[in-house]
Amino acid sequence: MLFLSISADDARTMMRDRLRAENDSTGTSPTIVLIPVNDRCAAAETAGGSHWSLLVYHATENEMLHCDSGSNHNAARAEELAHALFGSRVEHIAVSQQPNGYDCGAYLCAFVRVAMQWAAGSASGSARSLSAALAGAQIDAVEIRNTLERSILSHTER
């Protein structure tokens, strides 16, 4: 695992350079950038974090959306990352909430899927329409866990 300790200005420069390189190699700029957020704050901590959420950067509107299934547990961490990477403020979206203390990973996967489906279908859509898609996501964590298990098992049985 690699941890970088860099200034916010350097982080923003790295992100801009990466987005520019993507544009140069494909001729298009990404509409969204997906950033998983974990509540583990310090690289020196030996134990991992306990909660995952998702930041979605809408590149064309320079807006950052945060999807947190745990009552915005990661709100402060998401705001730190958004500011460091893009200098952006964060809109915390009212998304489906997990009913337990262990399905944040499944919800993160669901939010990623919704964002990717939105990007594939409405690449020129607004951040507001993306926010609405994420807020309206109906999430079945059991189905997501089962799908992930089947996928993992299919790769290990080869």
Side-chain angles (χ1 to χ4, degrees):
M1 186 171 286
L2 173 68
F3 292 97
L4 299 175
S5 179
I6 58 176
S7 70
D9 287 339
D10 288 342
R12 279 193 290 277
T13 299
M14 285 175 50
M15 188 57 71
R16 274 194 307 272
D17 289 348
R18 180 66 196 117
L19 292 174
R20 190 175 306 116
E22 181 69 21
N23 186 27
D24 291 345
S25 68
T26 65
T28 61
S29 295
T31 304
I32 59 173
V33 177
L34 305 175
I35 305 165
V37 178
N38 187 264
D39 59 356
R40 180 178 173 190
C41 293
E45 293 176 13
T46 56
S50 62
H51 183 65
W52 290 96
S53 60
L54 180 68
L55 271 173
V56 182
Y57 177 65
H58 190 285
T60 55
E61 294 184 21
N62 192 35
E63 289 198 32
M64 187 68 73
L65 309 173
H66 182 230
C67 307
D68 193 334
S69 63
S71 301
N72 278 328
H73 175 82
N74 282 348
R77 184 72 178 130
E79 289 171 6
E80 289 171 22
L81 285 170
H83 179 73
L85 293 174
F86 298 98
S88 300
R89 293 176 9 117
V90 177
E91 175 191 343
H92 299 282
I93 303 170
V95 294
S96 294
Q97 297 293 292
Q98 64 191 74
N100 53 45
Y102 53 82
D103 272 333
C104 58
Y107 277 72
L108 171 68
C109 291
F111 297 140
V112 167
R113 181 176 56 207
V114 169
M116 295 301 294
Q117 288 171 340
W118 176 90
S122 46
S124 62
S126 68
R128 184 166 308 283
S129 70
L130 173 57
S131 177
L134 290 162
Q138 300 298 312
I139 297 172
D140 182 349
V142 173
E143 176 57 31
I144 293 167
R145 279 189 266 117
N146 290 339
T147 300
L148 289 171
E149 179 183 25
R150 284 190 303 273
S151 178
I152 291 167
L153 289 175
S154 73
H155 287 87
T156 59
E157 293 172 351
R158 293 180 182 174

